[in-house]
Amino acid sequence: MQFSERIVGHIPDRWLARLLERAEMIKFLAVGAITFVTTVVLFFGLKWTVLTDKPVTANVLAVLVATILSYVLNREWSFAERGRRPRHHEAALYFTVAGIGVAINQIPLGIARYVFDLRVPHVSLVVDNISDFVSGSIIGTLMATAFRWWAMRRFVFPHQSPTEQAPGDEIAQPVERIGGAGETE
């Protein structure tokens, strides 16, 4: 028995049904968590080393790297049952949406630093870093994630109608519980 089957076997049926209904969102949020950690590590790594005077540039670079990782993970896992346009078309749409997401992500950081002057020498180094983390990594990421979730499902990885399916494509069937109650043979 695989590890995932053992975990699924311990989830009550009523919860499992709800989780399966939201599997795509759960996968999208898991990818988001992975790319969030990637972004934060790269952002502060760059900000504290080679881009000490350019935190917005450090954040843009960190978000761009995480966006490339996000594309691969979302295409191959989160939205594996959707879309499947020609790869160059899908990638162009993805990176357009992601670019808008990068811009949205920078808005709170830019406002905190350049409108409210929450940066050294106007505030302490601790306040500067906390402000950058909250505005760039938390608020910006939440805003961009909400936008990306909507745009990815709407434009990049839409469900195909049966008439749009390529020959040989099958419509995804609901996942059945392995070893669950009510199983017939």
Side-chain angles (χ1 to χ4, degrees):
M1 182 180 282
Q2 290 182 346
F3 177 72
S4 60
E5 291 172 348
R6 281 186 267 164
I7 289 177
V8 169
H10 292 293
I11 299 173
D13 287 338
R14 66 177 188 262
W15 291 2
L16 184 61
R18 288 185 181 142
L19 288 173
L20 289 175
E21 289 171 1
R22 294 168 180 84
E24 190 175 74
M25 180 185 280
I26 292 167
K27 290 187 229 177
F28 178 79
L29 293 173
V31 169
I34 291 165
T35 56
F36 174 78
V37 170
T38 302
T39 303
V40 170
V41 168
L42 289 174
F43 171 51
F44 283 102
L46 291 169
K47 182 183 177 223
W48 291 339
T49 58
V50 295
L51 294 172
T52 55
D53 295 334
K54 298 181 181 197
V56 174
T57 302
N59 200 34
V60 168
L61 290 173
V63 170
L64 287 173
V65 169
T67 299
I68 294 167
L69 176 61
S70 175
Y71 173 66
V72 172
L73 293 175
N74 277 314
R75 182 178 201 287
E76 300 302 325
W77 187 50
S78 302
F79 299 113
E81 302 299 320
R82 291 176 162 261
R84 295 302 180 207
R85 292 181 169 126
R87 191 166 290 208
H88 68 279
H89 181 74
E90 187 178 80
L93 286 171
Y94 187 92
F95 287 106
T96 298
V97 166
I100 295 167
V102 169
I104 290 170
N105 196 293
Q106 303 316 307
I107 292 169
L109 179 62
I111 290 170
R113 292 191 71 81
Y114 304 115
V115 174
F116 296 132
D117 271 337
L118 294 174
R119 57 190 165 137
V120 173
H122 306 288
V123 297
S124 71
L125 183 60
V126 171
V127 171
D128 178 289
N129 283 299
I130 290 172
S131 172
D132 285 354
F133 179 73
V134 170
S135 62
S137 297
I138 303 293
I139 298 170
T141 298
L142 288 173
M143 289 171 52
T145 298
F147 167 75
R148 286 182 183 123
W149 170 249
W150 170 78
M152 293 299 170
R153 291 173 48 92
R154 173 94 167 119
F155 301 112
V156 182
F157 303 111
H159 274 300
Q160 290 180 330
S161 69
T163 58
E164 294 175 27
Q165 288 184 337
D169 284 352
E170 294 180 20
I171 297 174
Q173 299 297 320
V175 177
E176 293 184 24
R177 186 179 184 117
I178 298 170
E183 209 174 277
T184 59
E185 294 186 40

